[in-house]
Amino acid sequence: MMTTLPTLRVQRRQWLALAAGLCLMPLASARHERRVLFGSTADLLLPEATPASLADDIWRGLQAMNERWNAWKPGDVHLLNQAFAAGRPARATPALRSLIQGAAAMERLSQGHFNPGIGGLVGQWGFHDDVMRPGPRPAAAEIAAWLTAPPSLAQIEWRGLELRSRNPLLRLDFGGYAKGVALDWALDRLQRGGVHDALLNLGGNLAAMGRPGQRPWRVGVRDPQGPGLAATLLTQGREAVVTSGSYERFRVLDGQRCCHILDPRSGRPAPGLVSVTVVHPSAALADAAATALLVAGPEAWRPLAQAMGVDAVLVIDQQGRRQHTAALEGRLDPPV
Ligand code: AMP
Ligand code: MG
């Protein structure tokens, strides 16, 4: 069910993500709609004159993606995962095939750091649950078994819309990618409907285009070490600002804090970086890249960013040290 929350107290996290954008928005001519989607709050900021039917279309489309692409709730991806486990062929819709093929391309581009076939491992670590409860770590033997036959989307065989997995351990999980695809879809749909100034926030991942008034959108990047912002930046044209962080979703397992982003090479939570923000015109690429660079870690994120074609990146490590690429020089405020 899509929930409208006109009176919801704005959660600090989402407020921070949008704070500056909202400040700049000339409120008299702005429309701000809010729903709960993708396990978090979604905000859509539009010119007041936007037809209600167009905004409704956006929400309907986002809601359909949210329901169908969640691997852990009954829906299309869940059914595919059951078929893979049973060694059965299954059928995808054209939209799901393009999601899977897009994710497979991101896996290749990221040299496997972003692995959308990682659902089995995500389940072993218990990061699929809505609530992150403390507990024991998964057994080393379980992780070792996954690592002996590491799943990859390259193991999927297609015949038209029919697919099967050569690897029975393959479980799709689009938690690191679907929001980016949804952001791109929503902005495309708005542009086709004649709206060229808009901002969409999906749980702190943003895509914006145009400008709310005289000035561009200003969006915030959360400070992983405190309640404030690490930086803000003005968006340019159509741009997504996507952050992967190890500070928000984690479980305390055997007394240790374990982050929900897993390194497919070790089968364990990715150590090293606490936050990676990617700014790019494609939200799907930014989403996959942010996850991949967090996995790559402090030593390897720069060459991987280059290989993935993302040139605007801000990273924060466990010591709170910040680094950014040349493309963000002069764009971050306060300068980092
Ligand atoms: P994000 O916040 O975009 O980095 O996505 C994190 C989510 O992606 C996790 O909650 C998992 O569902 C999934 N995930 C974890 N590790 C990986 C990985 N190495 N590659 C792809 N998806 C991952
Ligand atoms: Mg991601």
Tab-separated table of all heavy atoms in Angstrom, residues 114 175-177 242-244 286-292, ligand 2:
chain	number	residue	atom	x	y	z
A	114	PHE	N	30.139	-4.216	-7.494
A	114	PHE	CA	28.680	-4.157	-7.409
A	114	PHE	C	28.188	-5.488	-7.960
A	114	PHE	O	28.432	-5.800	-9.126
A	114	PHE	CB	28.153	-2.978	-8.244
A	114	PHE	CG	26.666	-3.015	-8.445
A	114	PHE	CD1	25.814	-2.642	-7.422
A	114	PHE	CD2	26.120	-3.434	-9.646
A	114	PHE	CE1	24.434	-2.684	-7.597
A	114	PHE	CE2	24.745	-3.475	-9.836
A	114	PHE	CZ	23.908	-3.100	-8.798
A	175	GLY	N	18.731	-3.924	-4.075
A	175	GLY	CA	18.762	-2.897	-3.030
A	175	GLY	C	19.784	-1.798	-3.317
A	175	GLY	O	19.641	-0.671	-2.848
A	176	GLY	N	20.826	-2.130	-4.080
A	176	GLY	CA	21.872	-1.154	-4.355
A	176	GLY	C	21.701	-0.451	-5.690
A	176	GLY	O	22.615	0.278	-6.126
A	177	TYR	N	20.551	-0.636	-6.350
A	177	TYR	CA	20.433	-0.171	-7.739
A	177	TYR	C	19.042	0.344	-8.102
A	177	TYR	O	18.912	1.304	-8.872
A	177	TYR	CB	20.803	-1.367	-8.642
A	177	TYR	CG	20.771	-1.124	-10.119
A	177	TYR	CD1	21.614	-0.178	-10.709
A	177	TYR	CD2	19.926	-1.860	-10.936
A	177	TYR	CE1	21.594	0.023	-12.083
A	177	TYR	CE2	19.909	-1.668	-12.314
A	177	TYR	CZ	20.745	-0.729	-12.882
A	177	TYR	OH	20.731	-0.533	-14.245
A	242	VAL	N	23.804	10.568	-5.216
A	242	VAL	CA	23.471	9.290	-4.577
A	242	VAL	C	24.566	8.920	-3.577
A	242	VAL	O	25.754	8.976	-3.903
A	242	VAL	CB	23.327	8.170	-5.640
A	242	VAL	CG1	23.060	6.828	-4.975
A	242	VAL	CG2	22.190	8.508	-6.604
A	243	THR	N	24.148	8.549	-2.383
A	243	THR	CA	25.120	8.209	-1.336
A	243	THR	C	24.921	6.783	-0.859
A	243	THR	O	23.796	6.356	-0.598
A	243	THR	CB	24.969	9.177	-0.140
A	243	THR	OG1	25.218	10.505	-0.602
A	243	THR	CG2	25.956	8.840	0.975
A	244	SER	N	26.038	6.044	-0.765
A	244	SER	CA	26.046	4.745	-0.075
A	244	SER	C	26.780	4.961	1.225
A	244	SER	O	27.890	5.499	1.237
A	244	SER	CB	26.821	3.697	-0.886
A	244	SER	OG	25.996	3.136	-1.857
A	286	ALA	N	24.975	6.185	-10.882
A	286	ALA	CA	25.445	6.742	-9.608
A	286	ALA	C	25.165	5.771	-8.460
A	286	ALA	O	26.003	5.585	-7.574
A	286	ALA	CB	24.755	8.088	-9.346
A	287	ASP	N	23.993	5.136	-8.488
A	287	ASP	CA	23.619	4.203	-7.418
A	287	ASP	C	24.554	2.982	-7.413
A	287	ASP	O	25.128	2.603	-6.379
A	287	ASP	CB	22.154	3.775	-7.622
A	287	ASP	CG	21.544	3.171	-6.368
A	287	ASP	OD1	22.266	2.952	-5.378
A	287	ASP	OD2	20.327	2.903	-6.373
A	288	ALA	N	24.719	2.366	-8.583
A	288	ALA	CA	25.598	1.191	-8.667
A	288	ALA	C	27.027	1.573	-8.296
A	288	ALA	O	27.723	0.846	-7.568
A	288	ALA	CB	25.564	0.609	-10.078
A	289	ALA	N	27.470	2.737	-8.771
A	289	ALA	CA	28.856	3.147	-8.531
A	289	ALA	C	29.093	3.455	-7.051
A	289	ALA	O	30.142	3.108	-6.502
A	289	ALA	CB	29.205	4.359	-9.387
A	290	ALA	N	28.129	4.106	-6.392
A	290	ALA	CA	28.324	4.434	-4.972
A	290	ALA	C	28.516	3.155	-4.159
A	290	ALA	O	29.403	3.062	-3.306
A	290	ALA	CB	27.135	5.248	-4.453
A	291	THR	N	27.697	2.140	-4.464
A	291	THR	CA	27.835	0.852	-3.768
A	291	THR	C	29.203	0.231	-4.088
A	291	THR	O	29.919	-0.226	-3.199
A	291	THR	CB	26.687	-0.103	-4.184
A	291	THR	OG1	25.447	0.562	-3.974
A	291	THR	CG2	26.716	-1.395	-3.396
A	292	ALA	N	29.560	0.227	-5.372
A	292	ALA	CA	30.812	-0.400	-5.811
A	292	ALA	C	32.038	0.276	-5.188
A	292	ALA	O	32.975	-0.389	-4.747
A	292	ALA	CB	30.911	-0.354	-7.332
B	2	MG	MG	23.762	1.823	-4.618
